[in-house]
Amino acid sequence: MRSFAYRTAEDISQAVTTHGADDHVAYVAGGTTLLDLVKLDVMRPSQLVDINRLPLSEVETLDDGRLRIGATVTNTDLAHHPEVKARYPLLSQALLSGASTQLRNMATTAGNVMQRTRCPYYRDASAACNRREPGSGCDAMHGINRMHAVLGVSDACIATHPSDMCVAMAAIGATLTLEGPEGVREMAFNDFHRLPGEQPEKEHELRPGELITHVTLDTPVEGAGAHYLKLRDRASYEFALASAGAVVAVEDGMIREARLALGGVATKPWRAHEAEQALHDQPASIETFEMAAEAALQDAVPHEHNAFKIPLARQAIVRALREACKDAENANPQR
Ligand SMILES: Cc1cc2nc3c(=O)[nH]c(=O)nc-3n(C[C@H](O)[C@H](O)[C@H](O)COP(=O)(O)OP(=O)(O)OC[C@H]3O[C@@H](n4cnc5c(N)ncnc54)[C@H](O)[C@@H]3O)c2cc1C
Ligand code: SF4
């Protein structure tokens, strides 16, 4: 049994000061990732700082039209927020595809951004895992790697980033607000998660002691349709084998703008830039979607058990794009 101290912070500066950039201290929000990992002896904090009382549970539309989401807004509240449903349906769909109702009631926006990989070797303290214990090796590389990534992999780590919410945010575009001992700063969402490279233990750009206070979504693409498609082993309460989040604006049958991100196949929430280029100014047709899907997976690197994810992800992309275009047509029948 390992003991740890537990403090509840009443405001942001108290949370940051209590944390004090100490590696052995962790913020806790819904606890749905953190407490599991503590129980598995994968995370061993000596102190938890509870952030649930901080004034970070609001969703507000800013004067410039962007949507600012507080760090402790739950996945349930965010998915059902009227502004999210009306202006960011991709985010609502992605959130509702994740976990279970009970988990979404507890899980928070920042906690979801910070959730850890579900690689079983990472979660098994007796296995070799470079991410959990740098330099120890990677048991997934020649082990059971059916759930693992094909994009953004390295010789040190092939673990997927498991979030659905983050796939939608990667496609929509967002900015994180971070507050820590050195002050407040902002960072583009797509720069926050790191590729594993030779240092898979460095998962993100958060500095010691920094707190995510808000996620601010970019203004939506005007007149666009959206669709999040998640393919998995069972229809609910399961992580993605491959998922695709698409936002597409179509005019006179031509794709004016497309945003595409992938989940379940990559080591971070994966914005598919090559696919977006292949879609731009092209007819909204199955042939175009297939070309985009090829472009998105052109650099995929399979391992022994996960090669099936490459055609699966291509299918997810084609279907998500098709549904997003239908959604755009339904919303703008004159275009
Ligand atoms: C059985 C199960 C199934 C799941 N299925 C899915 C799924 O299908 N799709 C999906 O996307 N997710 C899924 N999840 C993951 C779930 O969405 C995450 O566990 C949840 O979003 C984490 O949020 P939390 O508030 O509980 O985080 P916590 O567990 O409280 O914290 C997680 C991490 O974030 C850090 N943290 C929390 N808040 C902040 C902050 N403001 N600033 C800096 N660091 C912070 C903590 O220190 C910790 O390291 C599943 C989880 C479980 C247990
Ligand atoms: S894939 Fe990454 S997380 Fe999984 S065992 Fe290897 S190093 Fe660890």
Side-chain angles (χ1 to χ4, degrees):
M1 173 91 74
R2 293 178 200 276
S3 57
F4 55 83
Y6 180 84
R7 304 267 183 281
T8 301
E10 302 294 338
D11 58 44
I12 294 173
S13 83
Q14 191 188 27
V16 170
T17 310
T18 309
H19 192 296
D22 181 339
D23 281 351
H24 299 101
V25 180
Y27 296 119
V28 61
T32 61
T33 285
L34 184 114
L35 297 181
D36 270 4
L37 294 178
V38 168
K39 284 187 256 179
L40 292 168
D41 207 25
V42 170
M43 289 177 80
R44 299 169 185 173
S46 60
Q47 184 178 163
L48 297 184
V49 180
D50 186 331
I51 60 169
N52 287 293
R53 284 197 201 161
L54 305 188
L56 297 174
S57 58
E58 297 297 319
V59 178
E60 56 180 322
T61 304
L62 302 180
D63 290 345
D64 60 10
R66 295 182 303 152
L67 195 74
R68 193 166 86 137
I69 305 159
T72 60
V73 174
T74 65
N75 287 181
T76 296
D77 286 349
L78 190 57
H80 294 293
H81 193 281
E83 285 288 302
V84 174
K85 282 167 74 174
R87 297 173 66 218
Y88 300 98
L90 186 72
L91 179 58
S92 183
Q93 292 168 24
L95 283 161
L96 292 174
S97 78
S100 63
T101 308
Q102 290 88 341
L103 280 158
R104 293 193 296 268
N105 288 345
M106 294 300 294
T108 63
T109 304
N112 195 316
V113 171
M114 291 289 289
Q115 68 171 289
R116 303 302 197 277
T117 181
R118 308 299 291 196
C119 171
Y121 303 102
Y122 173 81
R123 294 167 66 84
D124 174 356
S126 67
C129 172
N130 289 322
R131 190 174 285 258
R132 178 171 32 75
E133 194 147 342
S136 64
C138 170
D139 274 350
M141 213 59 82
H142 301 290
I144 307 293
N145 44 43
R146 178 174 178 273
M147 293 298 288
H148 287 70
V150 293
L151 291 169
V153 297
S154 74
D155 290 341
C157 180
I158 56 172
T160 47
H161 192 280
S163 172
D164 294 295
M165 182 196 82
C166 290
V167 175
M169 287 181 176
I172 292 164
T175 304
L176 296 175
T177 307
L178 313 173
E179 184 158 346
E182 293 162 27
V184 180
R185 65 187 179 116
E186 298 208 317
M187 173 170 288
F189 181 84
N190 285 319
D191 294 338
F192 181 74
H193 296 99
R194 295 172 57 134
L195 293 173
E198 290 175 9
Q199 291 186 299
E201 74 280 10
K202 292 193 184 326
E203 300 188 7
H204 49 72
E205 297 291 342
L206 207 63
R207 293 180 188 148
E210 268 184 331
L211 180 77
I212 300 172
T213 60
H214 298 90
V215 179
T216 305
L217 302 180
D218 291 355
T219 47
V221 177
E222 203 195 327
H227 193 76
Y228 186 73
L229 179 70
K230 178 175 178 179
L231 303 177
R232 47 190 156 171
D233 282 327
R234 58 183 179 195
S236 79
Y237 198 29
E238 186 54 276
F239 289 91
L241 290 167
S243 71
V247 176
V248 187
V250 182
E251 260 175 34
D252 302 326
M254 303 294 281
I255 297 172
R256 173 168 53 80
E257 187 166 351
R259 308 263 183 89
L260 182 69
L262 307 180
V265 289
T267 52
K268 62 176 271 186
W270 194 263
R271 180 83 178 254
H273 292 291
E274 294 83 0
E276 291 177 1
Q277 278 162 17
L279 291 164
H280 188 67
D281 271 346
Q282 297 300 311
S285 66
I286 293 292
E287 291 71 29
T288 304
F289 305 155
E290 285 173 348
M291 264 174 7
E294 280 294 324
L297 274 301
Q298 66 192 0
D299 294 328
V301 179
H303 283 73
E304 189 179 353
H305 306 115
N306 68 355
F308 76 98
K309 282 194 174 189
I310 299 174
L312 193 71
R314 287 197 196 110
Q315 283 303 316
I317 292 169
V318 170
R319 285 176 55 192
L321 287 168
R322 191 187 64 199
E323 294 306 314
C325 286
K326 272 192 209 160
D327 186 43
E329 277 166 27
N330 291 339
N332 312 283
Q334 75 281 11
R335 286 189 178 175

